[in-house]
Amino acid sequence: MRNKHHQFKTEKNRVIGLYDVYDYNTHDWNCIIPPFYNGEEITVIGERAFDSYYYLKSIVLSDSITDIEEEAFYLCEELESIKFGSNLKHIGDYAFMCCSSLKSITLPDSLESIGDEAFNNCSALSSVTLGKNISSIGLNAFARCSKLENISVSGENEYFSSRDGILYNEEGTEIVIYPAGRKGSKFVIPDGVTSIGKGCFSANKSLRRVTVPNSVSRIGESAFSDCNINSITLPDNLETIEKDTFFDCSDLSEIKLPNNLRIIEDGAFSDCKIESIDLPSSLISIGNNAFSNCTKLNSVTLPSSLRSIGGSVFSLCDNLRHINVSKDSEYFMSIDGVLFDKKKEKLIGYPIGRKRSKYIVPKGVKEIGDGAFQGSSLKKVKLPSSIKRIGNEAFDYCLKLKDVNLPQSLYSIGDNAFSSCIMLENISLPPSLKELGDATFEYTGLKEVRIPDRISEIPPFCFNEFKALSDIFIPPTVTKIGAYAFHRSGIISSDLPSSILSIGEKAFSYCKGLKSVMLGNGIKEIGDSAFNSCSVLQSIYLPDSLEHIGKETFSCCYRLKEIELPESIKVVEEKAFWHCSSLENLVLPEELIEIKDEAFYCCHSLEGITLPSSLRSIGKRAFLGCKLLKNITIPLSLHTIAKDAFMYSNGLPIHLDDKEQRKL
């Protein structure tokens, strides 16, 4: 059976997408997935198969379908209904996320599991019925379904039950999902409930007060995240507040922590409006970002029981002026309100509510912790000669920072360490430096950089949006330039050493001032869109070592006039030279096998090319709009040529090796 209106892309027994559709007015967007296609049984809807098919209205799945993979129907905003087959077993993570027109679903009895956020943000969804065999529901599977007030469950289900439209486990000891669209400002969790499930109340905007009984001993990850609660009492026997439990509870201004609390996990109270917090004497551990961006927090004292504290715990807390530590603590200390470890070797947190312009890090400190100064208003920071490591996001978003010295002892700078320091114009990287993190200097005001000799990789996003940058030195020790490394930077020219083996995706894309690039003789791979939209790039040397040029690598390089592809290139990828409108001279390698779709699309100035005798395939619109092309000889080796490969080329004569001739 072949679908009358749709041509599916398939891979073995999986549907992985639809072929291009150009006429949205006449196309049928009520899609039926057949049990067989091209002679093969279809059992799986593949990952992202229908991702962002905005006009899809309805889906009917055949009984042969057993699995719907991750993001299969993600962002199908017009999808109103779906009929599941009777043998469906698994729905993957994010499978129907943001299907904002989907109104109701009945899940078949065969279904066993629903993945994380599978129906998250299906804002029109008002009705859900779970079948008898479902045993696993992922985190935030129905979060932000703002019209979902009730969840029904088959009476034969042995794992879940519905009580007044709220989902519990069969025994009633765990409250699993409190529907996001359920009305009412107060809710009392029944006595006997011992556990609140992951994401249980997440994104319910009506609740203001929740009463938790003393029987509860566990509150799961993200249980109250993105809620509007302003009051909650936690039971005394609760020992752990799990990851993101109260994340983004923007109305939560005060909370009393249980006397027996031992662990606060990552992000537990991040983005809350808590003004003060009394940490109990039982507490032994606080995770990363636990209180980050609590902009009203003005007072905190760490108890003597505390043994471990993560990074960025109090970062972006705008009103926090002092971080106090119990005098009996064996692990931490506070010096003038700044948090250190007891040995004074690590600066853990600088309270950014203190309005000072300069800070001198004490001598002997070896490490600046993750997020330690994040968001501070400091203009100058002086680091001691003992510093060896600067952590992730250590100075991120320090918008006024102009001056920071990097000592000769420094060997590592973490991810986003100086990101968004827009006033930072000069910095000297010491020769001792061995490691640079991702996005280290993203969005800074630096004008020039000299990479030290010990650096072997320029990480992804390292100098992204580095608009003031005009000059950079890359040493012969560097072997890799990561994705987006110099994306949208102000770099004018670049001579890359022969040590570099690969250039990542969009590494130099949108460098509007880049005029010339000299690639070293060791380069093997240039990633997708690496030089995309370098609109004034006039010349680039491609050495014989180069084996792969990615999709859209030189697309929209409007001033690029000539390209000689080395003999090692076997395939010209999709849109590789798309809209290189000044390209006049093109030399293709003698052993080229394939020119893919739109590879030289709208190269208006291209007058002549010689297709090598090895060429087997020319893709769709490969030379579309190359209106100055005069003659093309098609080699006998060519097996496939798309009918629109030379479209709009002004009647270009096509010569075949067997002396036949035709006009486009």
Side-chain angles (χ1 to χ4, degrees):
M1 173 181 176
R2 179 178 290 276
N3 191 292
K4 179 180 178 181
H5 301 289
H6 298 91
Q7 293 186 35
F8 298 104
K9 296 178 182 178
T10 59
E11 187 178 84
K12 294 185 178 179
N13 63 339
R14 302 164 71 246
V15 172
I16 60 173
L18 288 174
Y19 283 102
D20 292 342
V21 176
Y22 294 101
D23 190 348
Y24 292 106
N25 293 318
T26 61
H27 197 75
D28 185 358
W29 288 101
N30 300 300
C31 186
I32 300 172
I33 310 291
F36 290 89
Y37 191 79
N38 287 341
E40 291 187 337
E41 186 179 22
I42 300 299
T43 60
V44 178
I45 306 298
E47 182 177 342
R48 306 189 72 175
F50 298 89
D51 176 10
S52 301
Y53 277 80
Y54 302 115
Y55 294 88
L56 201 60
K57 295 285 187 182
S58 69
I59 287 284
V60 176
L61 301 180
S62 70
D63 290 341
S64 63
I65 303 294
T66 60
D67 290 82
I68 299 174
E69 294 185 344
E70 290 184 18
E71 301 182 29
F73 297 93
Y74 173 76
L75 206 62
C76 291
E77 294 180 332
E78 298 296 321
L79 184 63
E80 296 177 355
S81 66
I82 182 164
K83 184 180 184 299
F84 297 103
S86 60
N87 292 304
L88 183 67
K89 293 185 180 298
H90 308 289
I91 296 177
D93 298 346
Y94 317 103
F96 295 90
M97 185 175 179
C98 296
C99 292
S100 53
S101 299
L102 191 62
K103 296 178 180 178
S104 66
I105 53 171
T106 298
L107 300 170
D109 283 337
S110 58
L111 189 67
E112 298 174 0
S113 68
I114 299 174
D116 294 347
E117 304 192 44
F119 296 91
N120 189 334
N121 206 22
C122 292
S123 53
L125 189 63
S126 60
S127 174
V128 172
T129 301
L130 304 179
K132 65 180 181 181
N133 286 313
I134 191 161
S135 60
S136 174
I137 299 175
L139 175 65
N140 289 332
F142 296 96
R144 295 178 183 82
C145 295
S146 54
K147 291 187 178 180
L148 183 62
E149 297 189 33
N150 297 282
I151 297 175
S152 302
V153 183
S154 167
E156 299 179 65
N157 191 290
E158 298 179 357
Y159 305 96
F160 299 106
S161 61
S162 179
R163 305 181 183 189
D164 192 27
I166 301 168
L167 188 66
Y168 292 80
N169 66 352
E170 174 60 21
E171 296 81 8
T173 56
E174 179 178 351
I175 179 169
V176 180
I177 298 177
Y178 184 92
R182 194 171 181 85
K183 306 304 179 186
S185 61
K186 298 178 181 179
F187 180 69
V188 178
I189 297 176
D191 287 332
V193 170
T194 60
S195 176
I196 299 174
K198 293 181 178 181
C200 178
F201 293 89
S202 181
N204 183 290
K205 300 300 184 181
S206 297
L207 276 175
R208 303 290 286 170
R209 182 184 180 90
V210 176
T211 301
V212 183
N214 284 326
S215 57
V216 170
S217 59
R218 177 180 177 269
I219 299 178
E221 175 184 339
S222 302
F224 294 92
S225 65
D226 195 23
C227 286
N228 288 343
I229 59 170
N230 58 16
S231 177
I232 187 168
T233 301
L234 301 177
D236 284 338
N237 60 345
L238 188 68
E239 295 188 354
T240 301
I241 297 178
E242 295 188 16
K243 180 181 177 182
D244 296 333
T245 297
F246 297 98
F247 170 73
D248 201 21
C249 289
S250 55
D251 290 342
L252 187 62
S253 59
E254 61 179 349
I255 189 167
K256 185 181 183 303
L257 299 180
N259 292 328
N260 296 312
L261 185 67
R262 293 174 60 79
I263 298 171
I264 298 175
E265 292 188 352
D266 297 353
F269 295 96
S270 181
D271 288 49
C272 290
K273 293 297 183 286
I274 296 171
E275 295 180 7
S276 63
I277 190 82
D278 185 12
L279 300 175
S281 58
S282 56
L283 190 66
I284 62 171
S285 175
I286 302 177
N288 299 326
N289 297 97
F291 297 92
S292 66
N293 206 31
C294 290
T295 55
K296 293 189 176 181
L297 184 65
N298 57 46
S299 175
V300 65
T301 299
L302 304 183
S304 60
S305 58
L306 193 68
R307 300 176 186 175
S308 170
I309 190 166
S312 303
V313 171
F314 301 106
S315 66
L316 301 174
C317 294
D318 293 341
N319 283 306
L320 187 61
R321 292 176 174 83
H322 292 85
I323 302 173
N324 302 311
V325 179
S326 168
K327 63 181 181 179
D328 297 324
S329 175
E330 297 179 6
Y331 300 95
F332 306 102
M333 65 187 302
S334 179
I335 302 175
D336 191 26
V338 181
L339 180 62
F340 294 84
D341 70 332
K342 194 69 172 181
K343 294 181 180 179
K344 210 172 70 171
E345 293 182 347
K346 181 178 181 179
L347 192 157
I348 299 169
Y350 177 92
I352 68 172
R354 50 200 293 158
K355 305 304 178 184
R356 299 181 183 181
S357 62
K358 180 180 178 180
Y359 181 71
I360 300 175
V361 177
K363 293 180 180 180
V365 172
K366 296 180 180 180
E367 181 178 356
I368 306 297
D370 293 352
F373 291 91
Q374 188 177 28
S376 81
S377 58
L378 289 166
K379 294 181 180 180
K380 182 176 182 178
V381 175
K382 183 173 176 55
L383 301 177
S385 59
S386 53
I387 290 290
K388 293 184 177 181
R389 180 182 181 274
I390 296 175
N392 300 334
E393 301 179 338
F395 295 93
D396 176 46
Y397 208 67
C398 292
L399 300 179
K400 296 182 179 181
L401 186 64
K402 290 184 177 182
D403 186 7
V404 59
N405 65 302
L406 301 182
Q408 298 297 311
S409 55
L410 184 67
Y411 71 84
S412 176
I413 302 177
D415 298 345
N416 297 94
F418 293 93
S419 180
S420 298
C421 294
I422 56 176
M423 301 296 289
L424 187 62
E425 296 183 354
N426 296 291
I427 198 166
S428 178
L429 301 180
S432 58
L433 192 64
K434 294 181 179 180
E435 300 173 0
L436 282 173
D438 293 358
T440 304
F441 296 103
E442 185 177 41
Y443 300 110
T444 60
L446 295 176
K447 295 180 179 179
E448 61 180 13
V449 172
R450 184 179 180 88
I451 307 294
D453 289 342
R454 293 189 177 188
I455 296 294
S456 61
E457 176 183 353
I458 299 177
F461 296 91
C462 191
F463 301 101
N464 180 37
E465 297 280 356
F466 213 134
K467 296 186 183 299
L469 179 68
S470 59
D471 188 28
I472 185 162
F473 171 77
I474 299 175
T477 53
V478 173
T479 60
K480 181 179 180 181
I481 297 177
Y484 291 83
F486 297 96
H487 173 70
R488 293 188 185 274
S489 73
I491 194 170
I492 296 173
S493 65
S494 182
D495 289 348
L496 302 180
S498 58
S499 59
I500 292 179
L501 303 177
S502 66
I503 298 174
E505 176 187 0
K506 295 189 177 182
F508 293 90
S509 63
Y510 288 90
C511 290
K512 297 295 187 179
L514 185 62
K515 293 182 179 180
S516 65
V517 176
M518 180 66 73
L519 299 179
N521 289 323
I523 189 80
K524 292 184 178 296
E525 180 179 3
I526 302 177
D528 295 350
S529 302
F531 294 92
N532 184 335
S533 298
C534 293
S535 54
V536 299
L537 181 64
Q538 297 176 5
S539 65
I540 185 166
Y541 168 69
L542 303 177
D544 291 339
S545 59
L546 186 62
E547 298 175 355
H548 177 75
I549 297 175
K551 299 176 183 178
E552 303 182 41
T553 297
F554 296 100
S555 66
C556 296
C557 292
Y558 301 124
R559 297 192 185 180
L560 192 61
K561 292 187 175 183
E562 60 181 6
I563 282 290
E564 181 175 352
L565 296 177
E567 292 301 322
S568 48
I569 295 294
K570 300 295 188 289
V571 176
V572 181
E573 295 288 349
E574 295 174 14
K575 299 183 179 181
F577 297 91
W578 192 83
H579 257 292
C580 290
S581 53
S582 296
L583 186 63
E584 298 174 355
N585 300 313
L586 172 64
V587 179
L588 299 175
E590 292 184 3
E591 296 186 8
L592 187 68
I593 295 173
E594 182 177 9
I595 298 174
K596 291 193 174 181
D597 298 350
E598 301 185 13
F600 298 96
Y601 180 100
C602 284
C603 291
H604 299 312
S605 302
L606 192 60
E607 295 184 7
I609 54 171
T610 299
L611 299 178
S613 58
S614 57
L615 190 65
R616 297 179 183 176
S617 173
I618 300 178
K620 292 183 287 186
R621 302 175 293 280
F623 293 91
L624 183 147
C626 296
K627 55 188 178 182
L628 294 185
L629 276 178
K630 295 175 181 177
N631 289 280
I632 293 289
T633 298
I634 301 297
L636 285 172
S637 60
L638 196 67
H639 295 167
T640 305
I641 180 171
K643 64 181 180 180
D644 56 357
F646 294 92
M647 185 179 288
Y648 305 128
S649 296
N650 293 342
L652 170 70
I654 302 291
H655 301 279
L656 304 178
D657 273 356
D658 62 359
K659 306 302 181 183
E660 293 182 19
Q661 182 175 321
R662 65 181 173 86
K663 290 263 188 176
L664 285 183

